[in-house]
mmCIF file of all heavy atoms in Angstrom:
data_model
loop_
_atom_site.group_PDB
_atom_site.id
_atom_site.type_symbol
_atom_site.label_atom_id
_atom_site.label_comp_id
_atom_site.label_asym_id
_atom_site.label_seq_id
_atom_site.Cartn_x
_atom_site.Cartn_y
_atom_site.Cartn_z
ATOM 1 N N ASN A 1 -6.145 -5.395 6.475
ATOM 2 C CA ASN A 1 -6.833 -4.593 5.466
ATOM 3 C C ASN A 1 -5.917 -3.514 4.936
ATOM 4 O O ASN A 1 -4.963 -3.109 5.610
ATOM 5 C CB ASN A 1 -8.110 -3.956 6.045
ATOM 6 C CG ASN A 1 -7.788 -2.834 7.028
ATOM 7 O OD1 ASN A 1 -7.537 -1.700 6.644
ATOM 8 N ND2 ASN A 1 -7.782 -3.153 8.326
ATOM 9 N N ARG A 2 -6.205 -3.085 3.728
ATOM 10 C CA ARG A 2 -5.560 -1.912 3.144
ATOM 11 C C ARG A 2 -6.584 -1.155 2.326
ATOM 12 O O ARG A 2 -7.321 -1.746 1.535
ATOM 13 C CB ARG A 2 -4.377 -2.301 2.252
ATOM 14 C CG ARG A 2 -3.550 -1.088 1.801
ATOM 15 C CD ARG A 2 -2.483 -1.455 0.792
ATOM 16 N NE ARG A 2 -3.064 -1.745 -0.516
ATOM 17 C CZ ARG A 2 -2.357 -2.127 -1.581
ATOM 18 N NH1 ARG A 2 -1.053 -2.304 -1.467
ATOM 19 N NH2 ARG A 2 -2.951 -2.377 -2.737
ATOM 20 N N VAL A 3 -6.634 0.149 2.516
ATOM 21 C CA VAL A 3 -7.596 1.009 1.814
ATOM 22 C C VAL A 3 -6.824 2.060 1.038
ATOM 23 O O VAL A 3 -5.943 2.728 1.594
ATOM 24 C CB VAL A 3 -8.572 1.694 2.794
ATOM 25 C CG1 VAL A 3 -9.544 2.589 2.038
ATOM 26 C CG2 VAL A 3 -9.326 0.655 3.612
ATOM 27 N N ARG A 4 -7.143 2.193 -0.233
ATOM 28 C CA ARG A 4 -6.555 3.236 -1.069
ATOM 29 C C ARG A 4 -7.657 4.020 -1.764
ATOM 30 O O ARG A 4 -8.538 3.426 -2.406
ATOM 31 C CB ARG A 4 -5.620 2.639 -2.124
ATOM 32 C CG ARG A 4 -4.283 2.168 -1.557
ATOM 33 C CD ARG A 4 -3.391 1.560 -2.631
ATOM 34 N NE ARG A 4 -2.034 1.380 -2.146
ATOM 35 C CZ ARG A 4 -1.051 0.847 -2.860
ATOM 36 N NH1 ARG A 4 -1.280 0.434 -4.105
ATOM 37 N NH2 ARG A 4 0.153 0.725 -2.356
ATOM 38 N N LEU A 5 -7.608 5.332 -1.629
ATOM 39 C CA LEU A 5 -8.523 6.229 -2.325
ATOM 40 C C LEU A 5 -7.693 7.096 -3.264
ATOM 41 O O LEU A 5 -6.898 7.930 -2.813
ATOM 42 C CB LEU A 5 -9.298 7.100 -1.336
ATOM 43 C CG LEU A 5 -10.163 6.356 -0.317
ATOM 44 C CD1 LEU A 5 -10.842 7.351 0.630
ATOM 45 C CD2 LEU A 5 -11.211 5.492 -1.018
ATOM 46 N N ASN A 6 -7.867 6.894 -4.563
ATOM 47 C CA ASN A 6 -7.118 7.632 -5.575
ATOM 48 C C ASN A 6 -7.982 8.748 -6.147
ATOM 49 O O ASN A 6 -9.047 8.485 -6.720
ATOM 50 C CB ASN A 6 -6.678 6.704 -6.714
ATOM 51 C CG ASN A 6 -5.670 5.674 -6.261
ATOM 52 O OD1 ASN A 6 -4.837 5.947 -5.419
ATOM 53 N ND2 ASN A 6 -5.759 4.478 -6.816
ATOM 54 N N PHE A 7 -7.537 9.974 -6.000
ATOM 55 C CA PHE A 7 -8.175 11.115 -6.653
ATOM 56 C C PHE A 7 -7.402 11.372 -7.949
ATOM 57 O O PHE A 7 -6.277 11.872 -7.915
ATOM 58 C CB PHE A 7 -8.151 12.335 -5.731
ATOM 59 C CG PHE A 7 -8.941 12.138 -4.469
ATOM 60 C CD1 PHE A 7 -8.323 11.632 -3.328
ATOM 61 C CD2 PHE A 7 -10.286 12.439 -4.412
ATOM 62 C CE1 PHE A 7 -9.037 11.433 -2.166
ATOM 63 C CE2 PHE A 7 -11.023 12.253 -3.254
ATOM 64 C CZ PHE A 7 -10.397 11.738 -2.125
ATOM 65 N N GLU A 8 -7.999 11.012 -9.072
ATOM 66 C CA GLU A 8 -7.326 11.072 -10.360
ATOM 67 C C GLU A 8 -7.878 12.248 -11.165
ATOM 68 O O GLU A 8 -9.030 12.241 -11.590
ATOM 69 C CB GLU A 8 -7.497 9.750 -11.106
ATOM 70 C CG GLU A 8 -6.884 8.583 -10.332
ATOM 71 C CD GLU A 8 -6.865 7.289 -11.111
ATOM 72 O OE1 GLU A 8 -7.577 7.218 -12.145
ATOM 73 O OE2 GLU A 8 -6.160 6.354 -10.699
ATOM 74 N N THR A 9 -7.020 13.232 -11.356
ATOM 75 C CA THR A 9 -7.403 14.478 -12.001
ATOM 76 C C THR A 9 -6.781 14.558 -13.389
ATOM 77 O O THR A 9 -5.605 14.249 -13.565
ATOM 78 C CB THR A 9 -6.937 15.681 -11.162
ATOM 79 O OG1 THR A 9 -7.487 15.580 -9.848
ATOM 80 C CG2 THR A 9 -7.380 16.987 -11.792
ATOM 81 N N SER A 10 -7.586 14.963 -14.359
ATOM 82 C CA SER A 10 -7.097 15.170 -15.720
ATOM 83 C C SER A 10 -7.507 16.557 -16.188
ATOM 84 O O SER A 10 -8.673 16.944 -16.077
ATOM 85 C CB SER A 10 -7.666 14.106 -16.666
ATOM 86 O OG SER A 10 -7.189 14.309 -17.978
ATOM 87 N N PHE A 11 -6.536 17.299 -16.691
ATOM 88 C CA PHE A 11 -6.802 18.654 -17.168
ATOM 89 C C PHE A 11 -6.997 18.696 -18.678
ATOM 90 O O PHE A 11 -7.594 19.634 -19.203
ATOM 91 C CB PHE A 11 -5.646 19.573 -16.764
ATOM 92 C CG PHE A 11 -5.376 19.585 -15.287
ATOM 93 C CD1 PHE A 11 -4.336 18.839 -14.755
ATOM 94 C CD2 PHE A 11 -6.171 20.322 -14.434
ATOM 95 C CE1 PHE A 11 -4.079 18.837 -13.398
ATOM 96 C CE2 PHE A 11 -5.929 20.334 -13.066
ATOM 97 C CZ PHE A 11 -4.882 19.586 -12.548
ATOM 98 N N THR A 12 -6.487 17.696 -19.390
ATOM 99 C CA THR A 12 -6.603 17.658 -20.846
ATOM 100 C C THR A 12 -7.361 16.438 -21.347
ATOM 101 O O THR A 12 -7.643 16.342 -22.526
ATOM 102 C CB THR A 12 -5.202 17.662 -21.489
ATOM 103 O OG1 THR A 12 -4.519 16.438 -21.160
ATOM 104 C CG2 THR A 12 -4.384 18.851 -21.005
ATOM 105 N N GLY A 13 -7.662 15.500 -20.455
ATOM 106 C CA GLY A 13 -8.278 14.244 -20.863
ATOM 107 C C GLY A 13 -7.275 13.136 -21.108
ATOM 108 O O GLY A 13 -7.642 11.970 -21.197
ATOM 109 N N LYS A 14 -5.979 13.484 -21.184
ATOM 110 C CA LYS A 14 -4.925 12.499 -21.418
ATOM 111 C C LYS A 14 -3.890 12.465 -20.303
ATOM 112 O O LYS A 14 -3.188 11.473 -20.147
ATOM 113 C CB LYS A 14 -4.221 12.779 -22.761
ATOM 114 C CG LYS A 14 -5.138 12.632 -23.967
ATOM 115 C CD LYS A 14 -4.382 12.906 -25.257
ATOM 116 C CE LYS A 14 -5.290 12.734 -26.469
ATOM 117 N NZ LYS A 14 -4.573 13.003 -27.747
ATOM 118 N N ASP A 15 -3.766 13.556 -19.548
ATOM 119 C CA ASP A 15 -2.802 13.592 -18.458
ATOM 120 C C ASP A 15 -3.437 13.045 -17.179
ATOM 121 O O ASP A 15 -4.633 12.754 -17.130
ATOM 122 C CB ASP A 15 -2.286 15.020 -18.250
ATOM 123 C CG ASP A 15 -3.422 15.979 -17.897
ATOM 124 O OD1 ASP A 15 -4.601 15.628 -18.127
ATOM 125 O OD2 ASP A 15 -3.128 17.079 -17.396
ATOM 126 N N LEU A 16 -2.625 12.912 -16.122
ATOM 127 C CA LEU A 16 -3.110 12.364 -14.858
ATOM 128 C C LEU A 16 -2.338 12.971 -13.696
ATOM 129 O O LEU A 16 -1.110 12.909 -13.655
ATOM 130 C CB LEU A 16 -2.939 10.838 -14.824
ATOM 131 C CG LEU A 16 -3.226 10.159 -13.470
ATOM 132 C CD1 LEU A 16 -4.699 10.270 -13.125
ATOM 133 C CD2 LEU A 16 -2.778 8.702 -13.494
ATOM 134 N N LEU A 17 -3.058 13.570 -12.761
ATOM 135 C CA LEU A 17 -2.525 13.982 -11.474
ATOM 136 C C LEU A 17 -3.152 13.067 -10.429
ATOM 137 O O LEU A 17 -4.359 13.100 -10.209
ATOM 138 C CB LEU A 17 -2.860 15.444 -11.171
ATOM 139 C CG LEU A 17 -2.518 15.926 -9.755
ATOM 140 C CD1 LEU A 17 -1.016 15.888 -9.526
ATOM 141 C CD2 LEU A 17 -3.070 17.333 -9.510
ATOM 142 N N ARG A 18 -2.326 12.232 -9.809
ATOM 143 C CA ARG A 18 -2.855 11.272 -8.828
ATOM 144 C C ARG A 18 -2.486 11.706 -7.409
ATOM 145 O O ARG A 18 -1.319 11.944 -7.103
ATOM 146 C CB ARG A 18 -2.311 9.868 -9.071
ATOM 147 C CG ARG A 18 -2.649 8.877 -7.935
ATOM 148 C CD ARG A 18 -2.261 7.470 -8.259
ATOM 149 N NE ARG A 18 -3.141 6.902 -9.269
ATOM 150 C CZ ARG A 18 -2.953 5.698 -9.814
ATOM 151 N NH1 ARG A 18 -1.897 4.957 -9.438
ATOM 152 N NH2 ARG A 18 -3.784 5.241 -10.725
ATOM 153 N N THR A 19 -3.505 11.772 -6.571
ATOM 154 C CA THR A 19 -3.334 12.004 -5.142
ATOM 155 C C THR A 19 -3.978 10.826 -4.421
ATOM 156 O O THR A 19 -5.178 10.596 -4.576
ATOM 157 C CB THR A 19 -3.988 13.322 -4.706
ATOM 158 O OG1 THR A 19 -3.482 14.399 -5.494
ATOM 159 C CG2 THR A 19 -3.724 13.590 -3.234
ATOM 160 N N ARG A 20 -3.186 10.095 -3.654
ATOM 161 C CA ARG A 20 -3.702 8.876 -3.014
ATOM 162 C C ARG A 20 -3.674 9.002 -1.497
ATOM 163 O O ARG A 20 -2.671 9.391 -0.916
ATOM 164 C CB ARG A 20 -2.866 7.668 -3.432
ATOM 165 C CG ARG A 20 -3.200 6.374 -2.651
ATOM 166 C CD ARG A 20 -2.294 5.241 -3.033
ATOM 167 N NE ARG A 20 -2.614 4.742 -4.371
ATOM 168 C CZ ARG A 20 -1.842 3.901 -5.049
ATOM 169 N NH1 ARG A 20 -0.694 3.490 -4.519
ATOM 170 N NH2 ARG A 20 -2.197 3.505 -6.250
ATOM 171 N N LEU A 21 -4.807 8.631 -0.883
ATOM 172 C CA LEU A 21 -4.880 8.453 0.555
ATOM 173 C C LEU A 21 -4.845 6.958 0.844
ATOM 174 O O LEU A 21 -5.543 6.186 0.191
ATOM 175 C CB LEU A 21 -6.159 9.074 1.122
ATOM 176 C CG LEU A 21 -6.357 10.576 0.892
ATOM 177 C CD1 LEU A 21 -7.661 11.031 1.524
ATOM 178 C CD2 LEU A 21 -5.185 11.370 1.446
ATOM 179 N N GLN A 22 -4.048 6.561 1.841
ATOM 180 C CA GLN A 22 -3.879 5.139 2.125
ATOM 181 C C GLN A 22 -3.887 4.882 3.622
ATOM 182 O O GLN A 22 -3.398 5.682 4.411
ATOM 183 C CB GLN A 22 -2.562 4.623 1.536
ATOM 184 C CG GLN A 22 -2.258 3.167 1.868
ATOM 185 C CD GLN A 22 -1.009 2.669 1.184
ATOM 186 O OE1 GLN A 22 -1.018 2.281 0.029
ATOM 187 N NE2 GLN A 22 0.102 2.690 1.906
ATOM 188 N N ALA A 23 -4.474 3.742 3.993
ATOM 189 C CA ALA A 23 -4.444 3.284 5.379
ATOM 190 C C ALA A 23 -4.377 1.765 5.378
ATOM 191 O O ALA A 23 -4.919 1.103 4.491
ATOM 192 C CB ALA A 23 -5.674 3.761 6.147
ATOM 193 N N GLY A 24 -3.703 1.190 6.373
ATOM 194 C CA GLY A 24 -3.596 -0.258 6.498
ATOM 195 C C GLY A 24 -3.252 -0.631 7.927
ATOM 196 O O GLY A 24 -2.874 0.216 8.744
ATOM 197 N N ASN A 25 -3.393 -1.921 8.261
ATOM 198 C CA ASN A 25 -3.129 -2.370 9.627
ATOM 199 C C ASN A 25 -2.107 -3.501 9.665
ATOM 200 O O ASN A 25 -2.264 -4.488 10.375
ATOM 201 C CB ASN A 25 -4.425 -2.802 10.317
ATOM 202 C CG ASN A 25 -5.013 -4.076 9.718
ATOM 203 O OD1 ASN A 25 -4.711 -4.445 8.593
ATOM 204 N ND2 ASN A 25 -5.858 -4.751 10.485
ATOM 205 N N PHE A 26 -1.034 -3.356 8.887
ATOM 206 C CA PHE A 26 0.011 -4.385 8.834
ATOM 207 C C PHE A 26 1.079 -4.066 9.879
ATOM 208 O O PHE A 26 1.994 -3.282 9.634
ATOM 209 C CB PHE A 26 0.621 -4.452 7.432
ATOM 210 C CG PHE A 26 -0.343 -4.944 6.400
ATOM 211 C CD1 PHE A 26 -1.197 -4.065 5.760
ATOM 212 C CD2 PHE A 26 -0.409 -6.287 6.075
ATOM 213 C CE1 PHE A 26 -2.094 -4.510 4.805
ATOM 214 C CE2 PHE A 26 -1.309 -6.743 5.130
ATOM 215 C CZ PHE A 26 -2.149 -5.861 4.485
ATOM 216 N N ASN A 27 0.943 -4.674 11.051
ATOM 217 C CA ASN A 27 1.883 -4.449 12.144
ATOM 218 C C ASN A 27 2.722 -5.711 12.328
ATOM 219 O O ASN A 27 2.304 -6.667 12.978
ATOM 220 C CB ASN A 27 1.126 -4.112 13.429
ATOM 221 C CG ASN A 27 0.290 -2.851 13.273
ATOM 222 O OD1 ASN A 27 0.736 -1.884 12.674
ATOM 223 N ND2 ASN A 27 -0.925 -2.865 13.790
ATOM 224 N N ASN A 28 3.906 -5.724 11.702
ATOM 225 C CA ASN A 28 4.815 -6.875 11.769
ATOM 226 C C ASN A 28 4.154 -8.162 11.254
ATOM 227 O O ASN A 28 4.328 -9.238 11.828
ATOM 228 C CB ASN A 28 5.319 -7.084 13.197
ATOM 229 C CG ASN A 28 6.108 -5.900 13.701
ATOM 230 O OD1 ASN A 28 6.766 -5.216 12.931
ATOM 231 N ND2 ASN A 28 6.033 -5.652 14.993
ATOM 232 N N THR A 29 3.376 -8.034 10.180
ATOM 233 C CA THR A 29 2.708 -9.189 9.600
ATOM 234 C C THR A 29 3.677 -9.949 8.697
ATOM 235 O O THR A 29 4.007 -9.491 7.611
ATOM 236 C CB THR A 29 1.468 -8.749 8.795
ATOM 237 O OG1 THR A 29 0.604 -8.010 9.659
ATOM 238 C CG2 THR A 29 0.714 -9.954 8.253
ATOM 239 N N PHE A 30 4.147 -11.108 9.132
ATOM 240 C CA PHE A 30 5.033 -11.977 8.360
ATOM 241 C C PHE A 30 6.295 -11.260 7.899
ATOM 242 O O PHE A 30 6.767 -11.481 6.783
ATOM 243 C CB PHE A 30 4.288 -12.578 7.165
ATOM 244 C CG PHE A 30 3.033 -13.297 7.545
ATOM 245 C CD1 PHE A 30 1.837 -13.031 6.915
ATOM 246 C CD2 PHE A 30 3.036 -14.240 8.550
ATOM 247 C CE1 PHE A 30 0.677 -13.689 7.271
ATOM 248 C CE2 PHE A 30 1.877 -14.904 8.927
ATOM 249 C CZ PHE A 30 0.690 -14.635 8.292
ATOM 250 N N ASN A 31 6.840 -10.393 8.727
ATOM 251 C CA ASN A 31 8.118 -9.775 8.385
ATOM 252 C C ASN A 31 9.165 -10.146 9.428
ATOM 253 O O ASN A 31 8.914 -10.948 10.338
ATOM 254 C CB ASN A 31 7.981 -8.254 8.230
ATOM 255 C CG ASN A 31 7.599 -7.567 9.530
ATOM 256 O OD1 ASN A 31 7.675 -8.145 10.607
ATOM 257 N ND2 ASN A 31 7.184 -6.315 9.438
ATOM 258 N N GLN A 32 10.343 -9.567 9.311
ATOM 259 C CA GLN A 32 11.460 -9.956 10.162
ATOM 260 C C GLN A 32 11.195 -9.691 11.634
ATOM 261 O O GLN A 32 11.704 -10.409 12.509
ATOM 262 C CB GLN A 32 12.722 -9.204 9.720
ATOM 263 C CG GLN A 32 13.980 -9.588 10.486
ATOM 264 C CD GLN A 32 15.196 -8.889 9.942
ATOM 265 O OE1 GLN A 32 15.404 -8.842 8.738
ATOM 266 N NE2 GLN A 32 15.986 -8.309 10.830
ATOM 267 N N SER A 33 10.378 -8.684 11.930
ATOM 268 C CA SER A 33 10.072 -8.359 13.323
ATOM 269 C C SER A 33 8.937 -9.204 13.885
ATOM 270 O O SER A 33 8.652 -9.126 15.081
ATOM 271 C CB SER A 33 9.714 -6.878 13.450
ATOM 272 O OG SER A 33 10.794 -6.060 13.025
ATOM 273 N N GLY A 34 8.281 -9.990 13.035
ATOM 274 C CA GLY A 34 7.170 -10.817 13.467
ATOM 275 C C GLY A 34 7.589 -12.242 13.747
ATOM 276 O O GLY A 34 8.783 -12.583 13.734
ATOM 277 N N PRO A 35 6.621 -13.137 13.963
ATOM 278 C CA PRO A 35 6.923 -14.521 14.351
ATOM 279 C C PRO A 35 7.695 -15.321 13.305
ATOM 280 O O PRO A 35 8.427 -16.246 13.656
ATOM 281 C CB PRO A 35 5.535 -15.129 14.600
ATOM 282 C CG PRO A 35 4.670 -13.962 14.929
ATOM 283 C CD PRO A 35 5.185 -12.844 14.082
ATOM 284 N N THR A 36 7.563 -15.015 12.001
ATOM 285 C CA THR A 36 8.309 -15.789 10.998
ATOM 286 C C THR A 36 9.783 -15.439 10.980
ATOM 287 O O THR A 36 10.599 -16.190 10.449
ATOM 288 C CB THR A 36 7.733 -15.576 9.585
ATOM 289 O OG1 THR A 36 7.901 -14.199 9.214
ATOM 290 C CG2 THR A 36 6.261 -15.964 9.524
ATOM 291 N N ARG A 37 10.151 -14.251 11.499
ATOM 292 C CA ARG A 37 11.530 -13.795 11.639
ATOM 293 C C ARG A 37 12.230 -13.595 10.294
ATOM 294 O O ARG A 37 13.452 -13.626 10.214
ATOM 295 C CB ARG A 37 12.347 -14.768 12.500
ATOM 296 C CG ARG A 37 11.826 -14.933 13.918
ATOM 297 C CD ARG A 37 11.922 -13.657 14.720
ATOM 298 N NE ARG A 37 13.282 -13.200 14.877
ATOM 299 C CZ ARG A 37 14.097 -13.593 15.877
ATOM 300 N NH1 ARG A 37 13.659 -14.442 16.774
ATOM 301 N NH2 ARG A 37 15.310 -13.124 15.963
ATOM 302 N N THR A 38 11.477 -13.382 9.209
ATOM 303 C CA THR A 38 12.099 -13.142 7.906
ATOM 304 C C THR A 38 11.214 -12.250 7.055
ATOM 305 O O THR A 38 9.981 -12.357 7.098
ATOM 306 C CB THR A 38 12.372 -14.458 7.160
ATOM 307 O OG1 THR A 38 12.893 -14.145 5.854
ATOM 308 C CG2 THR A 38 11.114 -15.285 7.006
ATOM 309 N N ASN A 39 11.847 -11.353 6.284
ATOM 310 C CA ASN A 39 11.114 -10.494 5.352
ATOM 311 C C ASN A 39 10.734 -11.217 4.064
ATOM 312 O O ASN A 39 9.987 -10.668 3.245
ATOM 313 C CB ASN A 39 11.952 -9.264 5.006
ATOM 314 C CG ASN A 39 12.031 -8.282 6.162
ATOM 315 O OD1 ASN A 39 11.055 -8.072 6.873
ATOM 316 N ND2 ASN A 39 13.200 -7.688 6.364
ATOM 317 N N MET A 40 11.257 -12.409 3.844
ATOM 318 C CA MET A 40 10.919 -13.156 2.632
ATOM 319 C C MET A 40 9.453 -13.572 2.612
ATOM 320 O O MET A 40 8.921 -13.892 1.552
ATOM 321 C CB MET A 40 11.806 -14.389 2.504
ATOM 322 C CG MET A 40 13.288 -14.090 2.437
ATOM 323 S SD MET A 40 14.273 -15.581 2.261
ATOM 324 C CE MET A 40 15.881 -15.001 2.810
ATOM 325 N N THR A 41 8.796 -13.574 3.779
ATOM 326 C CA THR A 41 7.394 -13.995 3.851
ATOM 327 C C THR A 41 6.432 -12.815 3.798
ATOM 328 O O THR A 41 5.227 -12.999 3.993
ATOM 329 C CB THR A 41 7.149 -14.788 5.146
ATOM 330 O OG1 THR A 41 7.609 -14.014 6.271
ATOM 331 C CG2 THR A 41 7.890 -16.111 5.114
ATOM 332 N N ARG A 42 6.906 -11.614 3.525
ATOM 333 C CA ARG A 42 6.026 -10.433 3.517
ATOM 334 C C ARG A 42 4.980 -10.525 2.417
ATOM 335 O O ARG A 42 5.226 -11.026 1.324
ATOM 336 C CB ARG A 42 6.851 -9.158 3.338
ATOM 337 C CG ARG A 42 7.748 -8.841 4.512
ATOM 338 C CD ARG A 42 8.523 -7.562 4.280
ATOM 339 N NE ARG A 42 7.647 -6.399 4.250
ATOM 340 C CZ ARG A 42 8.091 -5.148 4.062
ATOM 341 N NH1 ARG A 42 9.393 -4.931 3.868
ATOM 342 N NH2 ARG A 42 7.252 -4.151 4.057
ATOM 343 N N LEU A 43 3.808 -9.995 2.721
ATOM 344 C CA LEU A 43 2.721 -9.938 1.748
ATOM 345 C C LEU A 43 2.968 -8.807 0.754
ATOM 346 O O LEU A 43 3.582 -7.782 1.075
ATOM 347 C CB LEU A 43 1.382 -9.722 2.463
ATOM 348 C CG LEU A 43 0.935 -10.863 3.380
ATOM 349 C CD1 LEU A 43 -0.145 -10.385 4.335
ATOM 350 C CD2 LEU A 43 0.429 -12.043 2.558
ATOM 351 N N ALA A 44 2.446 -8.969 -0.461
ATOM 352 C CA ALA A 44 2.675 -7.980 -1.521
ATOM 353 C C ALA A 44 2.046 -6.634 -1.199
ATOM 354 O O ALA A 44 2.533 -5.596 -1.643
ATOM 355 C CB ALA A 44 2.120 -8.516 -2.842
ATOM 356 N N TYR A 45 0.973 -6.638 -0.436
ATOM 357 C CA TYR A 45 0.206 -5.415 -0.145
ATOM 358 C C TYR A 45 0.433 -4.962 1.288
ATOM 359 O O TYR A 45 -0.419 -4.309 1.894
ATOM 360 C CB TYR A 45 -1.283 -5.664 -0.403
ATOM 361 C CG TYR A 45 -1.762 -7.017 0.078
ATOM 362 C CD1 TYR A 45 -2.331 -7.181 1.335
ATOM 363 C CD2 TYR A 45 -1.614 -8.142 -0.729
ATOM 364 C CE1 TYR A 45 -2.750 -8.420 1.772
ATOM 365 C CE2 TYR A 45 -2.036 -9.393 -0.298
ATOM 366 C CZ TYR A 45 -2.599 -9.522 0.957
ATOM 367 O OH TYR A 45 -2.992 -10.752 1.398
ATOM 368 N N ASP A 46 1.593 -5.290 1.841
ATOM 369 C CA ASP A 46 1.960 -4.939 3.207
ATOM 370 C C ASP A 46 2.289 -3.446 3.275
ATOM 371 O O ASP A 46 3.450 -3.039 3.224
ATOM 372 C CB ASP A 46 3.162 -5.789 3.626
ATOM 373 C CG ASP A 46 3.694 -5.425 5.009
ATOM 374 O OD1 ASP A 46 3.103 -4.556 5.653
ATOM 375 O OD2 ASP A 46 4.694 -6.018 5.421
ATOM 376 N N ASP A 47 1.248 -2.610 3.387
ATOM 377 C CA ASP A 47 1.415 -1.153 3.446
ATOM 378 C C ASP A 47 0.480 -0.586 4.505
ATOM 379 O O ASP A 47 -0.693 -0.944 4.566
ATOM 380 C CB ASP A 47 1.088 -0.491 2.105
ATOM 381 C CG ASP A 47 2.154 -0.731 1.058
ATOM 382 O OD1 ASP A 47 3.337 -0.590 1.390
ATOM 383 O OD2 ASP A 47 1.799 -1.073 -0.079
#
C-alpha cells in the first residue's frame, strides 16, 4: 500500500503550496535487495 495526503494551499487562486504526507510498506519489494535481485523489476509507486 501507499498513502498520500496532499494539503494544497492557494493564496491567490492560481498558485499552489503543496505539503504531502506519505506512508507505504514497500520493504525490498521486487528490488535488488529482494528475491528478484534486480532494480529493473521495481514498481512505479515503490515509496
Side-chain angles (χ1 to χ4, degrees):
N1 72 83
R2 189 187 73 182
V3 179
R4 285 179 168 179
L5 300 178
N6 294 325
F7 297 91
E8 299 188 345
T9 303
S10 180
F11 304 100
T12 66
K14 296 181 179 180
D15 60 343
L16 172 67
L17 172 65
R18 170 173 288 175
T19 305
R20 172 184 288 168
L21 301 180
Q22 176 176 278
N25 68 339
F26 293 86
N27 300 319
N28 298 329
T29 303
F30 305 129
N31 65 14
Q32 183 176 314
S33 300
T36 64
R37 299 295 298 272
T38 176
N39 287 321
M40 301 181 200
T41 53
R42 293 181 67 180
L43 295 163
Y45 41 94
D46 176 3
D47 287 315

